[in-house]
Amino acid sequence: MIEFQHVHKTYRVAGREIPALNPTSLTIENGQVFGLIGHSGAGKSTMLRLINRLEEPSGGKIIVDGEDVTAFNASQLRGFRQQVGMIFQHFNLLASKTVADNVALPLTLAGKLSGSEIDKRVTELLARVGLSDHARKYPAQLSGGQKQRVGIARALSTNPKILLCDEATSALDPQTTASVLQLLAEINRELKLTIVLITHEMDVIRRVCDCVAVMDAGQIVEQGSVADVFLHPQHPTTKRFVQE
């Protein structure tokens, strides 16, 4: 579903080139829950945002579902992004809109469905994430876990092929984290979605991921199935994560 071919990213800061991601090749299979783990500054957020070109690569190719997204023009990119849902660490909900309106927003912007079709889709999505009774509430009236469930419903609204999770549980307490991860696992199983999840917590990887790549200083230092990486960690960074 997702393939990185020698992709790298460099930022220009005060006239200096700062590498954020060294040349990286990676394959994520269709329907996988793939975890990227690393400490702050390891390059995992950059790598995640390269998938839907929220970050522009400095070089290399990104192939998604057989198409070279690095070659897309602005119009193609808008269409492609409707196939990629994104869940954010701090929810990114609009405080002035209700739960239902937040979920409906991507559908309204896409302009492909009628008002009644959007209402029906929103009702389905809120039922899926267990928030049917909260449609008319505002974000300020919700708990952190409920806000993240709204974020998940919004990310699913356009029937994406891929779900990107940017530290989706790091702002939540352990019990709420467990329920959100269980929801993501159900979504992956039922909708056959490919999920790419970044985190700095090995327990999140253990609970929900099929495969994991460990990042350090802008490069992948180890990758494999979760069981292999947990049982036979090779790199010092991986060993530290496993020990924690």
Side-chain angles (χ1 to χ4, degrees):
M1 178 57 80
I2 303 168
E3 186 181 356
F4 276 47
Q5 298 178 357
H6 307 292
V7 178
H8 58 98
K9 174 67 178 177
T10 302
Y11 294 101
R12 192 166 185 82
V13 182
R16 291 177 56 226
E17 300 284 326
I18 309 293
L21 183 70
N22 294 327
T24 298
S25 295
L26 175 74
T27 300
I28 298 173
E29 300 296 338
N30 188 25
Q32 254 184 0
V33 183
F34 193 96
L36 288 170
I37 188 167
H39 294 296
S40 181
K44 56 190 187 299
S45 289
T46 298
M47 194 159 179
L48 187 84
R49 288 163 179 266
L50 283 166
I51 294 171
N52 59 355
R53 277 183 55 192
L54 286 180
E55 295 283 1
E56 289 294 331
S58 302
K61 282 187 178 181
I62 301 166
I63 312 295
V64 177
D65 202 16
E67 294 191 279
D68 180 4
V69 303
T70 45
F72 281 175
N73 60 30
S75 174
Q76 291 171 310
L77 192 56
R78 278 193 298 274
F80 165 68
R81 283 178 176 155
Q82 291 176 17
Q83 301 170 37
V84 184
M86 193 156 186
I87 306 168
F88 300 91
Q89 178 178 359
H90 296 296
F91 322 128
N92 283 20
L93 303 179
L94 296 176
S96 62
K97 289 190 176 291
T98 64
V99 165
D101 288 341
N102 268 282
V103 175
L105 188 62
L107 296 170
T108 305
L109 292 172
K112 295 178 180 177
L113 300 181
S114 67
S116 60
E117 288 172 325
I118 289 174
D119 290 343
K120 182 183 176 186
R121 178 73 178 142
V122 170
T123 300
E124 291 170 358
L125 289 163
L126 290 179
R128 175 174 285 281
V129 300
L131 291 178
S132 294
D133 296 337
H134 299 273
R136 304 261 62 90
K137 289 185 179 178
Y138 289 87
Q141 298 171 285
L142 304 179
S143 68
Q146 289 170 333
K147 289 176 184 175
Q148 195 56 285
R149 285 172 180 266
V150 177
I152 292 170
R154 180 183 59 189
L156 294 174
S157 62
T158 56
N159 286 313
K161 299 176 184 176
I162 298 167
L163 198 56
L164 305 180
C165 303
D166 188 357
E167 299 270 11
T169 59
S170 64
L172 306 175
D173 63 71
Q175 186 175 352
T176 308
T177 292
S179 70
V180 168
L181 291 177
Q182 184 178 350
L183 176 60
L184 288 174
E186 289 169 4
I187 288 167
N188 167 255
R189 189 168 60 249
E190 293 169 15
L191 303 182
K192 305 293 188 288
L193 273 182
T194 303
I195 299 178
V196 186
L197 180 151
I198 65 171
T199 183
H200 57 270
E201 301 169 89
M202 208 59 163
D203 190 53
V204 170
I205 299 290
R206 179 181 65 83
R207 284 172 182 264
V208 75
C209 293
D210 303 308
C211 292
V212 60
V214 183
M215 298 194 69
D216 188 35
Q219 62 186 8
I220 294 173
V221 294
E222 190 164 348
Q223 64 176 300
S225 73
V226 169
D228 285 344
V229 171
F230 263 83
L231 293 172
H232 310 290
Q234 303 296 316
H235 192 272
T237 300
T238 312
K239 289 177 180 176
R240 283 197 297 272
F241 273 119
V242 171
Q243 285 164 3
E244 287 168 12

